[in-house]
Amino acid sequence: MNPSPRFADVILPLALPGSFTYSLPPALAGAVLPGMRVVVPLGARKLYTAIVCRLHDQAPAEDLRVKAVLEVVDRTPILTQDQLDLWRWMAQYYMCTAGEVMKAALPSGLKMESETLVRRNADFSGEPDERDLTLLDHLSADEAKSIDCLRSECGAAGLLSGLRRLVECGAATVEERLARAYKPRTETRLRPGPALLAAESLPALLRTLGRTPKQLDVLCLYLSEAELTEQTPPSLLATARPVAKRTLAALPGYSEAALTALRRKGLLEAFAADTGRLKFREALPDALRHRLNEDQQRAVTEVEQAWCKHPVCLLHGVTSSGKTEVYIELIRRELAAGRQVLYLVPEIALTTQLTERLGRVFGSAMGVYHSKFPDAERVELWQRQCGDRALPLILGVRSSVFLPFRRLGLVIVDEEHEPSYKQQDPAPRYHARDTAIVLAHRCGARVLLGTATPAVETYHNAHEGGKYGYVRMDKRFGHVELPEIIVEDVKELQRKKLMPTPFSPRLTTEVRRILAEGGQAILFYNRRGYSPVLTCRTCGWTPRCTACDVPLTFHRSMGRMVCHYCGAAYDLPRQCPQCADTELRDVGYGTEKMEAAVHACFADARTARMDLDTTRTRTAYEKIIDDFQRGTTNLLIGTQMVTKGLDFDRVGIVGILNADQALNVPDFRAYERAYQMLSQVAGRAGRRGRRGLVVLQTRQAGLPLIDQVVRGDYEAMYQAQIREREPYRYPPFSRLIAIYVKHRDERTCLTAAQWLADLLRPHFGTALLGPDRPAVGRVQRLFIRKFLLKVNPALPPAGVRRTLTQAADILRADSRCKGAQIYFDVDPMG
C-alpha cells in the first residue's frame, strides 16, 4: 500500500504568484484530494480557504518552515482535474495569478476567509489611553465582536489605531474566526419518534392520548399527512414520509404546545431538512414543441458533419433564421447520449427569454447560472454539479465556464461576437468564448459558435485559417424577408429644420402607424442617463468627476450627476463655480431623456426603458422583457441590451437613433462593432409574419458601412476590414496585449511607463506602441499610461510572457516606482 502524501500544494484566493505548500497532519492525510477546499493559516493570524491542486512527498527547502493544513472543508472535491488544468491555463495565458482565477471562479459562499474578532481582556487591570475608553466600553469579555460591528457602533474615525493601542496595552485580545458565508436553506420536518416506533399497536397508543385531546388531534394530523392509518403495521412506521412542520401548522386543530408535548414524549421527532433554493420548470409534452424546418434540419446535419473535421464550428445564420431551434436539437442529442451541455449567452437579459424557451423543452434538466442570482443559489448549483445529480444542461453567462462538468459534450456560444464575453476588471481578464473552447478541448467536447455577425477573427478562422468548421443559414424562419432599412440623413434634415425632435419625420410617422395597428416598436440609443454633459450657459464650465478624467452624466430620476467610470454620485451644483451663473443646460441625449422625448412625441405609447439603470436586479430584467412580450408595453427604448438576441413577435419597426455613435471611438474594431450592433438591432424587426422596417438615423449617410448594413453584406464588411488590418498587423494577423501602468502621482506614472518602455523596446521594437495616454487618462484617482503590443504569431507565447513579466517585476522592485500598478490585458477588446 502506498503511503499517504505528506504535503499539499494549494491555491490561495490572493493575487500571489504560484502555489503554496502545506504539510498534511496524519489525521488528514488520507482525507484530502485535489480539488478539495482546506483551511490554512497565512501570516501571523489570517486563515483562508484554499484549493488543493497537488499532493506530493517533496519537502520544501530545509530552511523553510512548513505550516500545516488545519481543516478539510469538503468530503469530495468541488473541482475536477479539468477545471484545475483550465485555471492553470488561464493564469498563464491571461498573465495573472491562479489566486485571481480562483476568486473569479468560485461563488463567494465557497470562499471562506477569516475575520478579525476583538474581545475585552477580563484580566486586564491597567489604565488604557483616555482616547480609547469609549471603544473599550463597547467590548465584551464574553462575546467577541468583528471590526465591522465595532465600526457600526463606534464609527470608523480612529477605530483601527484605537484597537491597536488597546491590544498593545493588554486591554483587548484579537482572534481570527473563519466566516462561513453560505448557509443551506432548511425547514423543520417531523418523523416518528422512538416511542412511536416502539409501540406494539397504533390504536392502543392513540387511546392512551384520550385525556390529552389536543395532542391526539395533532398526532392524528401528522398521521394523515404522512399517509398513515391506525391499521398501519408498526414495522412500517420507520419508513413514513416526513411531514413539514409548516404543513401541520396550517391545518385546523394544530397546537404548538401539543406538538411540543408529543416531541417531549418521544412520539414525534423534529429534524432540519435541506430544502434547497433552486427552482426548476416542468417540460411541456413533445406535441407542443417546435419541429425543425428544412433549413434548420440541413444546418443540424452540416454542423455534425463539420464536427467530424473540426471540433469547433461557426454557425453563421441571419437574424431570426432559427439558430436557437438548431441549438435545441443538438442539445437533445447530447443529453440523449448522456453528456452535458453548456449554453453561453453574452447578457443576463437573454437568459430571461431563453430560460422560458429552453425550460419548455428541457424542464428540470436545465439550470441557470449568472451573477444576478443570489450567491447561495449559485453555491447550490455548483455543489449539485459536483455530485451524482448534476444537471445535464447549464444556461449562463461568461462565469458559467468555471462550473464543474464531468461529462461535457457540447459548448454553445451564442452571439459569439459580443464584447460582453470579455472580462475587463478585475483579473483574470479572460474571454469566455476562447476559454470555453479550451475547456471543451480539455474535456473532449465540441463547440458551436453561433451569430448573425461573426467576429472578424472567428470568420477568418473558419475560412482562411481553416481552424473552424462553417455552416451558413441565410434564410429567416418561415421565409420572412429581412427588414427593409431606410437611411435618414440627420445632418440634412437638421439643415432643413425638419427635426424638431430626436426622431426624423419618417421614423415618427412609421412608429405612430405601427402602434396604431397594435404592433410594437424598439428605439435604440446606446447612452444611458438623462444628459451626458451639463454645461454653464455663460462660461461653458462642465462638472467633472474629481476621481476620473470624465464629465459627469446627469441622471434626472436620481436628481444627481454620476460618473460612469467609478460610480461616484454628486449633487447638482446650485451655481457655476467659475462665473456664479445659476443656469446650467443639459447637452445631448441619454436614454432617460430620450424616454421623455418619446412621451412628448408618442403620447399614447406604453413605454419601457431597458438600460443599466433600470435592470440592476434579476426581477427588473424579467419584468421589462415579460411586459413587452405580453404587450403590456409597446414601445421599448434601450441601449445595446436590446441588440442581443431578444425575440419579440410583434415588433414592426426599429429606430436606430444615432448610428454614428459607435463609429466615433478610437479603436481599430470600431467599424466591425458598429456593423454588428446595427445589424443585430435591425434584426429585432419583423421576426414573425410580415416584413419589418428599420429607420437608421445617421449624419454620415455616405459611409460604406451604412450601405453594408442596409444590404446586410457581412462579406463586404469583412473584406474591407481584412484589407485595412493586414498592413498594420492587427488581429487576425497578430495577437494584441495591452499593458497598463497606473499610479496616483502623474509624474511617477509617466516615469514608470517610460522605464518599462526602455526595458521592452529592445525585445519588441516597433511592435510595441506607446506609452500613450488613453482616451480616459485618469480613473479612480489613478493616472494611466497604456502600451499596445502586437505579437507576431511566429513568436513563442511563453517567451513573450516571460519577457513581459520579468520587465514588470524589475519595475515593481524599483523604489522610485513604488505603488505603481502594472498589469496585462491579453486579447483586449477596446
Side-chain angles (χ1 to χ4, degrees):
M1 179 181 292
N2 293 327
S4 298
R6 296 182 297 124
F7 298 97
D9 290 346
V10 305
I11 301 170
L12 289 167
L14 302 169
L16 298 172
S19 57
F20 295 79
T21 302
Y22 288 83
S23 65
L24 289 172
L28 300 180
V32 178
L33 293 173
M36 285 183 173
R37 291 176 298 163
V38 293
V39 178
V40 296
L42 184 69
R45 294 192 181 93
K46 273 290 188 183
L47 303 177
Y48 285 95
T49 303
I51 292 289
V52 177
C53 58
R54 177 172 169 256
L55 298 173
H56 59 89
D57 286 311
Q58 301 166 9
E62 293 182 2
D63 57 338
L64 291 178
R65 179 175 171 269
V66 181
K67 295 183 178 181
V69 171
L70 301 178
E71 179 186 348
V72 181
V73 178
D74 304 304
R75 294 182 180 178
T76 57
I78 65 165
L79 294 177
T80 65
Q81 189 58 52
D82 287 330
Q83 281 179 286
L84 289 172
D85 292 341
L86 182 69
W87 285 17
R88 293 190 188 98
W89 174 83
M90 291 182 70
Q92 182 185 51
Y93 184 81
Y94 291 108
M95 303 182 69
C96 62
T97 68
E100 289 172 311
V101 178
M102 176 183 173
K103 289 185 72 172
L106 295 181
S108 298
L110 294 178
K111 295 176 294 192
M112 298 179 292
E113 295 184 10
S114 64
E115 61 178 347
T116 302
L117 301 176
V118 186
R119 189 188 301 271
R120 186 170 186 159
N121 185 359
D123 298 328
F124 177 70
S125 58
E127 288 292 333
D129 192 305
E130 290 186 2
R131 293 174 293 176
D132 307 324
L133 291 175
T134 303
L135 177 57
L136 186 62
D137 288 341
H138 282 85
L139 297 178
S140 168
D142 300 324
E143 180 185 3
K145 292 187 177 182
S146 68
I147 301 295
D148 289 339
C149 177
L150 290 171
R151 185 176 287 115
S152 64
E153 292 179 2
C154 311
L159 176 65
L160 295 180
S161 57
L163 287 174
R164 185 170 57 251
R165 288 191 295 269
L166 289 174
V167 171
E168 288 173 352
C169 74
T173 59
V174 172
E175 58 192 69
E176 292 291 315
R177 181 182 66 189
L178 204 63
R180 298 180 183 267
Y182 168 72
K183 293 181 180 179
R185 175 179 286 176
T186 61
E187 71 173 3
T188 301
R189 291 181 183 171
L190 302 169
R191 61 190 173 198
L196 186 56
L197 294 173
E200 295 182 1
S201 167
L202 196 53
L205 176 65
L206 294 176
R207 284 195 294 273
T208 64
L209 296 176
R211 295 183 178 181
T212 54
K214 290 188 177 181
Q215 294 178 33
L216 178 61
D217 289 345
V218 172
L219 184 58
C220 288
L221 288 175
Y222 166 77
L223 294 173
S224 175
E225 289 298 318
E227 299 178 356
L228 301 172
T229 67
E230 294 186 19
Q231 286 71 42
T232 301
S235 59
L236 297 181
L237 290 177
T239 61
R241 181 175 63 87
V243 176
K245 179 184 173 183
R246 59 183 173 83
T247 302
L248 283 191
L251 298 175
Y254 172 80
S255 165
E256 184 71 29
L259 176 61
T260 303
L262 291 172
R263 291 172 58 187
R264 193 180 301 120
K265 292 178 178 179
L267 294 173
L268 292 179
E269 184 176 85
F271 67 99
D274 188 353
T275 59
R277 298 173 173 85
L278 300 179
K279 300 178 179 64
F280 301 101
R281 293 182 54 89
E282 288 296 325
L284 294 178
D286 282 359
L288 296 181
R289 297 177 186 165
H290 293 294
R291 302 300 178 192
L292 298 184
N293 63 18
E294 183 179 342
D295 292 332
Q296 291 166 340
Q297 187 60 58
R298 176 190 56 79
V300 169
T301 302
E302 291 183 2
V303 166
E304 293 193 319
Q305 290 172 348
W307 278 334
C308 295
K309 298 180 180 179
H310 306 281
V312 181
C313 178
L314 171 62
L315 178 60
H316 184 183
V318 299
T319 55
S320 194
S321 58
K323 293 187 291 296
T324 304
E325 293 300 322
V326 173
Y327 301 155
I328 288 173
E329 179 59 30
L330 293 170
I331 293 170
R332 277 195 186 122
R333 298 183 182 191
E334 290 297 314
L335 268 54
R339 294 186 288 265
Q340 292 176 295
V341 177
L342 171 60
Y343 189 144
L344 288 174
V345 292
E347 280 280 358
I348 292 171
L350 278 183
T351 61
T352 300
Q353 278 197 326
L354 278 175
T355 300
E356 183 75 21
R357 191 167 176 181
L358 296 179
R360 291 196 297 264
V361 180
F362 300 106
S364 59
M366 181 185 72
V368 184
Y369 189 85
H370 60 64
S371 60
K372 285 291 193 263
F373 281 113
D375 187 71
E377 289 188 30
R378 286 184 285 148
V379 170
E380 290 185 6
L381 183 60
W382 186 292
Q383 291 175 333
R384 179 162 182 157
Q385 294 306 98
C386 295
D388 297 333
R389 297 169 59 241
L391 297 169
L393 171 61
I394 295 294
L395 169 66
V397 292
R398 61 173 180 249
S399 58
S400 303
V401 298
F402 294 116
L403 281 168
F405 294 94
R406 300 182 184 277
R407 306 180 310 279
L408 188 63
L410 172 62
V411 178
I412 296 171
V413 185
D414 197 11
E415 309 293 352
E416 65 82 25
H417 66 279
E418 273 293 336
S420 305
Y421 282 123
K422 181 73 161 81
Q423 162 76 8
Q424 299 300 332
D425 282 308
R429 297 170 180 86
Y430 68 99
H431 198 298
R433 177 196 61 209
D434 302 338
T435 303
I437 291 173
V438 174
L439 171 66
H441 174 72
R442 293 185 180 280
C443 296
R446 299 171 297 184
V447 180
L448 182 62
L449 308 176
T451 179
T453 53
V456 166
E457 293 94 321
T458 302
Y459 196 78
H460 183 269
N461 284 335
H463 282 266
E464 298 170 45
K467 294 181 180 179
Y468 300 163
Y470 180 79
V471 175
R472 173 77 174 165
M473 296 177 69
D474 52 12
K475 294 179 181 177
R476 279 190 151 192
F477 182 82
H479 300 286
V480 176
E481 289 186 84
L482 287 167
E484 178 189 2
I485 301 179
I486 297 170
V487 178
E488 289 282 77
D489 189 338
V490 172
K491 187 176 181 180
E492 182 67 15
L493 290 171
Q494 288 177 338
R495 186 184 68 81
K496 295 179 178 178
K497 301 189 181 338
L498 295 176
M499 275 194 65
T501 71
F503 318 113
S504 68
R506 179 66 182 272
L507 177 59
T508 303
T509 301
E510 295 294 346
V511 169
R512 286 174 177 162
R513 178 182 62 81
I514 289 291
L515 297 184
E517 293 173 357
Q520 293 176 306
I522 292 177
L523 299 180
F524 168 63
Y525 191 77
N526 201 28
R527 178 174 284 160
R528 66 187 176 100
Y530 187 82
S531 174
V533 177
L534 289 179
T535 184
C536 174
R537 290 178 180 270
T538 303
C539 69
W541 171 82
T542 296
R544 304 180 74 85
C545 179
T546 58
C548 308
D549 189 19
V550 291
L552 296 170
T553 300
F554 174 45
H555 287 249
R556 191 174 186 178
S557 60
M558 298 168 55
R560 307 193 80 189
M561 302 177 297
V562 178
C563 174
H564 285 179
Y565 280 79
C566 69
Y570 299 78
D571 292 328
L572 286 171
R574 295 179 179 274
Q575 61 181 25
C576 172
Q578 291 188 172
C579 69
D581 194 335
T582 57
E583 287 194 47
L584 297 177
R585 62 189 180 97
D586 51 86
V587 179
Y589 280 83
T591 48
E592 196 179 352
K593 190 174 183 180
M594 200 63 73
E595 185 179 25
V598 165
H599 287 308
C601 192
F602 310 107
D604 296 331
R606 303 183 301 276
T607 64
R609 175 164 53 94
M610 188 173 177
D611 56 24
L612 184 62
D613 297 322
T614 62
T615 56
R616 295 192 181 275
T617 65
R618 179 184 55 167
T619 54
Y621 273 108
E622 294 171 354
K623 179 168 174 46
I624 291 171
I625 292 173
D626 186 57
D627 285 350
F628 195 67
Q629 194 157 332
R630 290 189 292 107
T632 305
T633 55
N634 60 5
L635 197 155
L636 181 63
I637 308 143
T639 57
Q640 43 83 28
M641 290 180 181
V642 302
T643 71
K644 300 182 181 180
L646 295 174
D647 187 9
F648 300 111
D649 293 350
R650 291 180 291 171
V651 174
I653 183 170
V654 168
I656 301 172
L657 301 180
N658 186 355
D660 311 316
Q661 206 169 36
L663 296 172
N664 302 324
V665 179
D667 181 6
F668 75 94
R669 286 195 177 93
Y671 267 53
E672 175 193 359
R673 294 265 179 80
Y675 178 90
Q676 291 166 342
M677 188 176 295
L678 297 176
S679 298
Q680 288 285 342
V681 72
R684 301 314 106 201
R687 297 175 71 88
R688 302 288 187 275
R690 67 180 183 180
R691 189 183 188 189
L693 178 69
V694 178
V695 178
L696 188 154
Q697 297 183 177
T698 176
R699 301 179 67 86
Q700 305 175 72
L703 281 178
L705 178 79
I706 301 299
D707 180 59
Q708 291 160 6
V709 171
V710 171
R711 293 186 289 111
D713 194 347
Y714 175 87
E715 184 68 25
M717 186 279 295
Y718 168 78
Q719 293 297 340
Q721 286 299 295
I722 288 294
R723 287 194 300 271
E724 194 171 289
R725 294 183 189 187
E726 187 171 15
Y728 298 101
R729 308 305 297 170
Y730 278 107
F733 303 103
S734 69
R735 281 183 47 240
L736 297 184
I737 300 178
I739 308 166
Y740 290 89
V741 179
K742 296 183 178 182
H743 200 279
R744 285 183 173 272
D745 179 68
E746 186 172 18
R747 186 181 296 276
T748 305
C749 182
L750 288 169
T751 303
Q754 192 55 57
W755 285 345
L756 186 60
D758 294 341
L759 290 169
L760 296 177
R761 199 81 67 190
H763 297 278
F764 300 110
T766 57
L768 181 70
L769 307 179
D772 298 314
R773 183 183 184 278
V776 179
R778 182 170 172 257
V779 175
Q780 293 183 331
R781 304 187 185 280
L782 293 174
F783 292 93
I784 307 169
R785 290 298 180 269
K786 177 183 176 181
F787 297 84
L788 191 64
L789 177 62
K790 299 177 182 178
V791 182
N792 189 325
L795 290 177
V800 172
R801 288 192 292 265
R802 185 166 54 251
T803 301
L804 292 175
T805 54
Q806 287 175 351
D809 290 341
I810 291 171
L811 201 65
R812 292 188 187 104
D814 195 309
S815 60
R816 292 169 293 180
C817 298
K818 185 177 180 181
Q821 297 180 19
I822 305 162
Y823 65 86
F824 307 96
D825 186 2
V826 180
D827 301 333
M829 297 300 289

